[in-house]
Every structure is written in structure tokens, then in C-alpha cells.
Amino acid sequence: APTLRLRDGSTMPPIALGTANLMGEDATRAVDFALRSGYRAIDTAMFYQNHEAVGDGLRMSGVPRAEVFLVSKLPPARHGFAAAEAGVQLMLRELGTPYLDLCLVHYPGLRFPFEAGGFASHSDALEVVERAGTWRALEVALEKGWCRQIGVSNYNQAHLEELLDYATHAPAVNQIEYHPFNVDAQTLSFCRAHGIVVQAYGSINAGKLLEDPVVLQVAAATGRSAAQVLLRWALQQGVMVLPKSANPDRIISNAMLWDFSLSAAQQSAISDLNRKQRFYLRPDDVQVGSFAKRRHHRHRWRTAANAT
């Protein structure tokens, strides 16, 4: 299967098994089966609370660790230099691995929208400092070899511009909600222009995509499932996908995406379903600080980080 090239010249598989909401033995069995079926990338997160189960599946599969691209994410509760640095070390212990292939900041805000106080719009300087501290901790983890690549998730253009302003190492990846009901062209084009690979989540299960008449029409025309069409639509844009399933048949079919393609007309018909509708998180509610504020606090957090 093809691979996607990251900014440092290394590669990663364009299809990863997603594990959100998979717990315990379900997660272990799904990871084990996916790896034995040919998957070579697994996506998890500290927030999913399934690290131990994912690690067990990885070891049970017998696939050497060096052949698996393992991705996890630091939750909003781990924003800030000290909390993020400790969080990376905890993730490694929970997964039972000496390194992550990719570590992402799960969300730009200090809380998820569904957490208490999460709908507050934080444009205060504190949030800018905390985000900057988190990124510095990931840069340290990169330099120490705890993470081979670092990136972000749910960052829009404004968040990325803020990050690039203070980053020493630019993010390799941005994992965002990207599907035909939320074609985030602005973030995608900004990422492309700055050498940041985009990973899509929500490809299959956002809203009622699987029942959409346009998607079903293309599925019938190509002799593929609606899920395969939706995943292929993203891949043809150079966007990576994270199909999630605990069902063995679907785990296999979700990766059978290389022996067909969608025509330009089919791609366009699916893209035209866009209604800028998010089904998961609300990153656009997370404000960025003013440039002057950022510059002042960039000095402050750099001084603090250098003192550690």
C-alpha cells in the first residue's frame, strides 16, 4: 500500500485503525486482528482510556513494534509544559512502548467542549501560554526520542498560525474532522501550503453519511460499500483516514481502498455535500491571543521552559 511522506522525509501509512470508544478486550482484539490483517498504523488517545488494551493487542499480534506506526494524543487536561511532559511519559508506560511514532495535541482548548466550562471562549493569555508550553514539551519529547513525530489535532488555521509563530519544530500532522458534510478546505489548503499532512476523523460515521443518496449512488456505480467510497474520497485528496471498527469484516473492507478510484465527477458530487457541519468538537470556539500578547508570552514560556 502507498505511504505518505512527512516533512522530515519519513513516511507513514495513510490508513490507521481508529480506536475511539473501543475498550478492554474489544480494543485488544481489534488491534490484534487489524495488525494481522495488514494494517500498520494504530490511532489512540489518552482520553480514550484504552492504552493498555491497545498495547496488549500490539504485542499479541506478533507484528514487530518497529513495523507499526503508533499514534496517540495528549488531552486538554495535559496542557502546559510540565503536565504535557509527564503525560507523554505516562502514555508510553500505559502503552508499554519506548516511543510513539506520532504524538498529537488532542485539542487546542484547555477543555473539550463537553467538559465542565468547555464552552467558555478562552481568549485569555493563559491559554496561549499553556498551548505554547505543551508544544515545547512535545519538542523536548521529540528531541529525547520519546516521540518520532509531533503534531496537533482539531487545530484550525488560526491555531496553526499561532503555533508556527512560536514553534521550533513545525507539526508533521493535523488530525481534523474532515468528511463530505464538513469539507474544511481552508485548513486543508493551509496545511498543504505548510507541509503538514492532514488526517481525517469522522470519515464514515459523521451524521448519516452512510445513508446519503449521493454516497450510495457512487457506491452502486463503483460496486463498493458506502464506507469504502467515503474513505477513498479522502485518500484521493491526499488525506489520511482512521476507520474505526471492532468488526473483523469491516476492519478488512475499510482497508481495501487501493484497487478502485473515484472519477473527478464522483469526487466533486461528494464534496458538494458540504454543509460545514461538525459532529464532534468545536475548535472554532477556541480563540487565539493577539500577536502582541503571543510575542510577550512566547518570551515568558521560553524562559520558563529553559529553566526546567
Side-chain angles (χ1 to χ4, degrees):
T3 55
L4 278 172
R5 191 167 295 279
L6 300 172
R7 65 168 64 252
D8 68 353
S10 64
T11 59
M12 68 184 287
I15 305 170
L17 178 76
T19 65
N21 305 321
L22 294 181
M23 305 297 286
E25 284 187 11
D26 284 346
T28 299
R29 279 196 296 264
V31 169
D32 172 36
F33 182 81
L35 290 173
R36 285 189 291 108
S37 303
Y39 280 72
R40 284 299 176 266
I42 306 292
D43 178 85
T44 181
M46 186 178 271
F47 186 77
Y48 303 163
Q49 298 185 330
N50 63 9
H51 274 164
E52 288 91 348
V54 166
D56 288 345
L58 204 160
R59 287 179 287 278
M60 194 184 290
S61 73
V63 175
R65 172 67 187 89
E67 291 181 19
V68 180
F69 197 96
L70 185 59
V71 184
S72 193
K73 313 174 200 77
L74 276 174
R78 290 283 176 172
H79 268 303
F81 183 85
E85 188 173 46
V88 173
Q89 293 172 291
L90 177 58
M91 288 199 291
L92 298 180
R93 285 198 301 276
E94 289 177 344
L95 286 158
T97 182
Y99 68 94
L100 281 168
D101 294 274
L102 174 63
C103 183
L104 304 176
V105 182
H106 204 153
Y107 193 66
L110 300 187
R111 299 177 194 86
F112 282 125
F114 46 79
E115 295 178 307
F119 283 111
S121 177
H122 304 284
S123 56
D124 57 319
L126 168 70
E127 185 157 82
V128 182
V129 174
E130 294 292 287
R131 263 199 299 275
T134 305
W135 191 251
R136 181 63 198 138
L138 286 195
E139 291 179 329
V140 168
L142 182 71
E143 289 155 10
K144 289 184 174 178
W146 300 342
C147 305
R148 300 273 171 93
Q149 303 285 343
I150 56 176
V152 293
S153 181
N154 298 296
Y155 273 46
N156 63 23
Q157 180 172 333
H159 302 135
L160 291 168
E161 285 173 341
E162 177 195 271
L163 171 59
L164 292 171
D165 181 47
Y166 54 63
T168 303
H169 299 278
V173 170
N174 185 17
Q175 186 181 120
I176 59 173
E177 180 177 351
Y178 188 85
H179 48 73
F181 291 161
N182 189 57
V183 184
D184 190 349
Q186 183 186 18
T187 303
L188 181 60
S189 68
F190 185 87
C191 287
R192 281 177 176 157
H194 290 83
I196 301 167
V197 169
V198 171
Q199 262 186 325
Y201 72 81
S203 297
I204 300 173
N205 294 318
K208 294 190 173 171
L209 274 169
L210 290 171
E211 299 166 29
D212 186 88
V214 173
V215 174
L216 291 173
Q217 194 177 356
V218 174
T222 53
R224 296 291 169 149
S225 71
Q228 287 173 319
V229 165
L230 290 162
L231 294 166
R232 181 72 202 185
W233 170 83
L235 288 175
Q236 284 188 207
Q237 299 171 66
V239 172
M240 306 177 62
V241 291
L242 311 161
K244 178 190 73 185
S245 183
N247 177 297
D249 291 339
R250 281 199 288 275
I251 288 173
I252 289 173
S253 65
N254 285 344
M256 294 174 67
L257 306 173
W258 304 113
D259 58 346
F260 78 106
S261 61
L262 305 181
S263 69
Q266 289 169 332
Q267 281 285 102
S268 156
I270 296 171
S271 297
D272 285 347
L273 297 173
N274 187 26
R275 47 193 195 217
K276 296 189 176 176
Q277 185 178 6
R278 294 185 188 277
F279 294 86
Y280 301 96
L281 298 170
R282 307 233 318 241
D284 294 339
D285 289 353
V286 180
Q287 303 297 308
V288 295
S290 70
F291 180 76
K293 228 192 266 184
R294 289 212 304 279
R295 198 166 43 192
H296 166 65
H297 288 287
R298 175 173 54 182
H299 171 72
R300 265 186 52 190
W301 75 259
R302 279 226 165 114
T303 307
N306 290 339
T308 56

